[in-house]
């Protein structure tokens, strides 16, 4: 049971927070746009608003508070935190070339033409890729789901976006090493499999499978008892059905929770998108981030490490409008920078929505989302299961409603 603090004492108007529920119910659940939703808003780490809506399963089973969700790319910040724990121990450095851990990447090349029915032209040798390039998505890797270039098509042919059933981590790296980079590392930004590679780096540096490392060093210490790669025994009962958006039609159910292959562990732990968890668990992760890397007496990373992670690392202080080559990512580009695993607001006015400078966030392909506002000490976690996340502007709408309910600003 999620216990709520007094919203008024923490600077929120309770009646205005209630608008969130009416909006979600009327605009998304009753209209059939979303099959389900959960939202949790907190300040100073204390929940001030929680609600759930819709159904867990297509058969009408009601949504439950402890439902499990595919958090997809909200896995990326977790993996990034895990890697930075190893940086803190000086087992690896951000400026290290990735070949220190991945000798398979010694002969990477940059795309020089071809693809499809035309053979790929011999690529030019790539300059050294660094671990910071993986964390910032400036590696030159891509996603098949970008669906823009011949390299994206090659990723689809190799099924690199969905590796959990047909590759182990070493096989994943071996296959990726044979493909050309989209651009020279450090020269552009493209939402990509970079964080999957980062997760394999955690495995090789720690000697542990990624899921086991996270369980011991992140989830266990934070009390995130329901988050893992694979839903396990609870999946058949608690994993929500997943749906795909269809323009002009009701969403189509594409993966039933009760029979999903995600109820078992795959051969590959996707550090870029494979975790399943509850809203209560991710709230604990967000609260740790808002509190400078600690939750209660448990420290996950230092405040200075987290500050480095949530600082814009795009060259010259650029925003994503200047650097992004992506057709799709989990962020808006205007006024948005990118750090070591998070997007962050660098110019609130350019985002055209209520925000604080330094607010950081990310989302997942099934329309899940979270944000951390370190200025106002506000966090939000939103869960649903509709692919893709670009179907509706719900994240912008929720942020607007949350900040509209704020009665006391700390600036």
């Amino acid at each position: 049971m999620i216990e709520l603090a007094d919203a008024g004492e923490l600077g929120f108007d309770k009646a205005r927070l209630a608008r969130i529920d009416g909006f979600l119910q009327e605009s998304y659940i009753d209209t059939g746009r979303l099959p389900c939703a959960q939202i949790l808003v907190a300040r100073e780490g204390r929940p001030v608003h929680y609600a759930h809506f819709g159904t867990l399963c297509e058969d009408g089973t009601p949504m439950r508070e402890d439902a499990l969700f595919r958090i997809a790319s909200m896995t990326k910040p977790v993996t990034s935190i895990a890697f930075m724990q190893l940086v803190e121990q000086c087992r690896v450095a951000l400026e290290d070339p990735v070949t220190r851990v991945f000798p398979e990447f010694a002969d990477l090349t940059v795309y020089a033409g071809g693809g499809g029915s035309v053979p790929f032209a011999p690529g030019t040798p790539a300059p050294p890729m660094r671990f910071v390039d993986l964390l910032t998505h400036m590696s030159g890797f891509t996603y098949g789901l970008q669906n823009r270039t011949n390299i994206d098509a090659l990723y689809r042919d190799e099924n690199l976006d969905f590796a959990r059933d047909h590759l182990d981590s070493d096989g994943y790296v071996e296959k990726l090493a044979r493909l050309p980079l989209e651009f020279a590392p450090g020269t552009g930004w493209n939402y990509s499999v970079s964080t999957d590679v980062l997760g394999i780096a955690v495995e090789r540096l720690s000697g542990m499978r990624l899921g086991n490392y996270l369980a011991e060093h992140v989830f266990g210490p934070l009390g995130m008892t329901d988050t893992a790669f694979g839903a396990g025994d609870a999946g058949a009962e608690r994993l929500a059905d997943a749906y795909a958006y269809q323009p002009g039609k009701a969403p189509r159910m594409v993966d039933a929770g009760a029979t999903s292959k995600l109820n078992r562990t795959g051969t590959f732990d996707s550090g870029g998108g494979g975790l399943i968890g509850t809203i209560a668990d991710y709230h604990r992760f967000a609260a740790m981030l808002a509190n400078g890397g600690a939750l209660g007496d448990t420290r996950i990373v230092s405040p200075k490490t987290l500050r480095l992670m949530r600082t814009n690392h795009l060259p010259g202080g650029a925003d994503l409008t200047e650097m992004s080559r992506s057709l799709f990512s989990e962020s808006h580009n205007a006024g948005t920078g990118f750090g070591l695993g998070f997007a962050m607001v660098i110019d609130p006015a350019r985002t055209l929505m209520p925000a604080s400078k330094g607010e950081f966030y990310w989302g997942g392909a099934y329309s899940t989302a979270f944000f951390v506002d370190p200025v106002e000490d506000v966090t939000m976690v939103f869960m649903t299961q509709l692919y893709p996340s670009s179907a509706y502007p719900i994240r912008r709408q929720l942020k607007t409603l949350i900040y509209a309910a704020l009665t006391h600003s700390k600036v």
Side-chain angles (χ1 to χ4, degrees):
M1 182 74 176
I2 296 172
E3 296 183 9
L4 299 181
D6 187 291
E9 290 182 4
L10 289 170
F12 276 100
D13 184 310
K14 189 173 182 179
R16 285 184 167 229
L17 284 172
R19 293 177 180 174
I20 298 170
D21 300 358
F23 174 79
L24 285 171
Q25 186 70 49
E26 295 167 16
S27 298
Y28 284 99
I29 303 300
D30 291 347
T31 60
R33 287 174 157 184
L34 292 182
C36 62
Q38 289 190 2
I39 186 166
L40 196 161
V41 182
R43 198 172 203 188
E44 299 176 7
R46 301 164 65 191
V48 295
H49 186 77
Y50 167 78
H52 65 256
F53 311 85
T55 57
L56 183 76
C57 306
E58 191 178 42
D59 65 8
T61 302
M63 176 51 61
R64 48 192 289 171
E65 192 171 290
D66 64 348
L68 295 167
F69 296 89
R70 302 155 188 81
I71 67 171
S73 286
M74 279 166 56
T75 305
K76 287 180 170 70
V78 179
T79 301
S80 300
I81 284 285
F83 183 81
M84 294 304 292
Q85 288 180 325
L86 299 174
V87 171
E88 288 189 329
Q89 298 167 34
C90 291
R91 298 168 76 173
V92 66
L94 294 175
E95 66 269 25
D96 281 346
V98 298
T99 50
R100 182 186 158 196
V101 175
F102 299 108
E104 300 97 324
F105 291 154
D107 298 315
L108 291 173
T109 61
V110 178
Y111 177 72
S117 60
V118 178
F120 279 97
T124 58
M129 182 189 299
R130 304 164 300 160
F131 283 104
V132 68
D133 298 322
L134 294 175
L135 282 154
T136 58
H137 289 285
M138 296 183 69
S139 62
F141 293 136
T142 189
Y143 264 133
L145 60 81
Q146 293 289 358
N147 204 22
R148 311 149 304 146
T149 69
N150 287 333
I151 305 176
D152 301 339
L154 189 58
Y155 275 55
R156 291 194 297 276
D157 290 343
E158 299 288 351
N159 199 19
L160 286 171
D161 293 0
F162 304 99
R164 76 183 303 275
D165 291 326
H166 66 103
L167 292 172
D168 62 15
S169 58
D170 289 342
Y172 185 88
V173 171
E174 181 183 349
K175 185 167 285 193
L176 193 60
R178 298 198 300 264
L179 309 183
L181 299 176
E182 185 169 286
F183 50 82
T187 64
W189 190 92
N190 186 43
Y191 191 40
S192 72
V193 301
S194 291
T195 318
D196 285 305
V197 177
L198 198 72
I200 300 169
V202 171
E203 292 187 336
R204 293 189 178 185
L205 289 162
S206 69
M208 302 172 68
R209 183 161 171 166
L210 182 60
N212 294 335
Y213 179 92
L214 294 177
E216 183 172 329
H217 296 282
V218 179
F219 302 148
L222 290 177
M224 296 171 64
T225 57
D226 285 319
T227 303
F229 293 104
D233 294 338
E237 183 177 318
R238 293 166 53 197
L239 181 60
D241 291 352
Y243 294 76
Y245 171 71
Q246 299 186 109
K249 300 179 183 178
R252 176 173 58 92
M253 200 270 284
V254 293
D255 187 35
T259 58
S260 176
K261 62 185 179 183
L262 299 176
N263 293 333
R264 63 183 187 276
T265 303
T267 58
F268 174 68
D269 289 345
S270 169
L275 286 173
I276 293 167
T278 62
I279 197 168
D281 271 11
Y282 213 90
H283 159 66
R284 296 182 71 81
F285 182 74
M288 176 273 293
L289 297 175
N291 196 41
L295 186 65
D297 295 330
T298 299
R299 180 156 297 282
I300 301 300
V301 292
S302 81
K304 296 297 281 189
T305 295
L306 186 59
R307 185 59 183 260
L308 180 66
M309 295 182 72
R310 63 180 185 86
T311 297
N312 185 24
H313 284 254
L314 299 181
D319 74 359
L320 288 175
T321 62
E322 302 167 82
M323 295 296 299
S324 177
R325 305 190 185 194
S326 292
L327 178 67
F328 170 80
S329 78
E330 297 292 347
S331 69
H332 297 286
N333 288 348
T336 300
F338 201 86
L340 306 181
F342 309 101
M344 72 283 305
V345 176
I346 58 175
D347 186 345
R350 292 198 67 203
T351 70
L352 297 180
M353 69 178 101
S356 296
K357 187 174 182 178
E359 178 183 303
F360 56 107
Y361 65 93
W362 205 241
Y366 288 96
S367 302
T368 60
F370 84 100
F371 75 80
V372 176
D373 182 341
V375 175
E376 300 291 357
D377 203 358
V378 171
T379 62
M380 180 213 73
V381 183
F382 177 72
M383 297 292 195
T384 188
Q385 296 285 259
L386 180 74
Y387 180 91
S389 59
S390 56
Y392 299 112
I394 190 165
R395 297 170 180 173
R396 173 180 290 267
Q397 292 165 335
L398 290 174
K399 275 193 65 180
T400 299
L401 288 161
I402 290 166
Y403 281 118
L406 198 66
T407 60
H408 175 71
S409 175
K410 298 192 178 186
V411 292

